[in-house]
């Protein structure tokens, strides 16, 4: 079974990529396959509501989204980590979310996949919970099985993440919950 991690940060080597690398390392230790989508390395344009994907499973925008569709479709679970930008996800991540309407319109292809969310902010109360909520909304609208960190909503972290012991525990608890949920389907 495969877990894919998405970092919504434009920064290569930043806090969200560290979080996803840690999460995928944990998943691999538990015997899962891992894949990643780092938006610092991809060009994903926003959806322009052309309607093409209502009729065929294709998007006329020429960018890196084909690779993202393939990775998401072949995943059993998806963990998404976003920086908090003005209390929500980054524009880069929102563009990816909107473009996945193609997968929804062509058979709800993310339905039943396990989902977990993480948000990293520059402030302690900078909007991490709102950001996690925005990620969960995307997952619910796809019919995914959303899990939290058992106690609360998911990973809530403060930059620099390596010094945020409390925040990292919420990330680890979310990954463990995702892996335990997936193991039920094995
Ligand atoms: C445009 C912009 C808006 C931001 N808004 C917030 C915010 O509302 N709350 C917050 O805690 N941090 C905010 N930050 C700080 C980022 O969340 C922080 O730098 C990010 O978690 C870094 O992640 P990265 O290292 O993976 O890029 C903002 C940063 C930028 C550039």
């Amino acid at each position: 079974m495969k877990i894919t991690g998405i970092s919504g940060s434009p920064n290569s080597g930043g806090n969200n990529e560290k979080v996803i690398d840690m999460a995928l390392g944990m998943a691999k230790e538990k015997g899962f396959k891992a894949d990643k989508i780092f938006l610092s390395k991809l060009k994903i344009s926003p959806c322009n509501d052309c309607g093409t994907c209502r009729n065929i499973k294709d998007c006329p925008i020429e960018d890196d989204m084909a690779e993202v569709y393939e990775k998401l479709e072949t995943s059993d679970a998806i963990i998404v980590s976003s920086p908090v930008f003005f209390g929500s996800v980054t524009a880069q991540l929102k563009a990816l979310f909107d473009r996945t309407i193609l997968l929804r319109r062509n058979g709800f292809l993310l339905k039943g996949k396990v989902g977990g969310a993480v948000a990293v902010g520059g402030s302690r109360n900078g909007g991490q919970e709102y950001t996690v909520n925005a990620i969960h909304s995307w997952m619910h609208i796809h019919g995914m099985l959303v899990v939290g960190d058992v106690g609360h909503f998911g990973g809530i972290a403060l930059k620099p993440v390596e010094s945020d012991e409390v925040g990292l525990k919420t990330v680890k608890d979310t990954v463990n919950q995702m892996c335990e949920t997936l193991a039920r389907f094995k």
Side-chain angles (χ1 to χ4, degrees), residues 95-115:
L96 180 152
F97 283 175
D98 291 348
R99 295 282 298 286
T100 62
I101 197 165
L102 174 145
L103 300 175
R104 190 174 185 275
R105 284 178 173 164
N106 289 275
F108 272 87
L109 299 172
L110 300 186
K111 186 178 158 201
K113 296 182 193 292
V114 173

Side-chain angles (χ1 to χ4, degrees), residues 9-11 14-17 83-87 120-123 126-128 159:
S9 173
N11 290 319
N15 292 270
N16 288 272
E17 294 190 0
V84 182
F85 274 18
F86 280 90
V120 183
S123 303
Q128 285 88 338
K159 163 176 130 174

Side-chain angles (χ1 to χ4, degrees), residues 2-4 35 70-78 109 113:
K2 185 177 91 168
I3 302 189
T4 293
D35 207 345
E70 197 274 329
K71 287 189 181 193
L72 295 182
E73 268 193 78
T74 56
S75 299
D76 300 288
I78 301 166
L109 299 172
K113 296 182 193 292

Side-chain angles (χ1 to χ4, degrees), residues 153-168:
F153 305 102
I156 303 288
L158 176 67
K159 163 176 130 174
V161 283
E162 48 273 47
S163 312
D164 183 15
E165 209 179 305
V166 174
L168 282 180

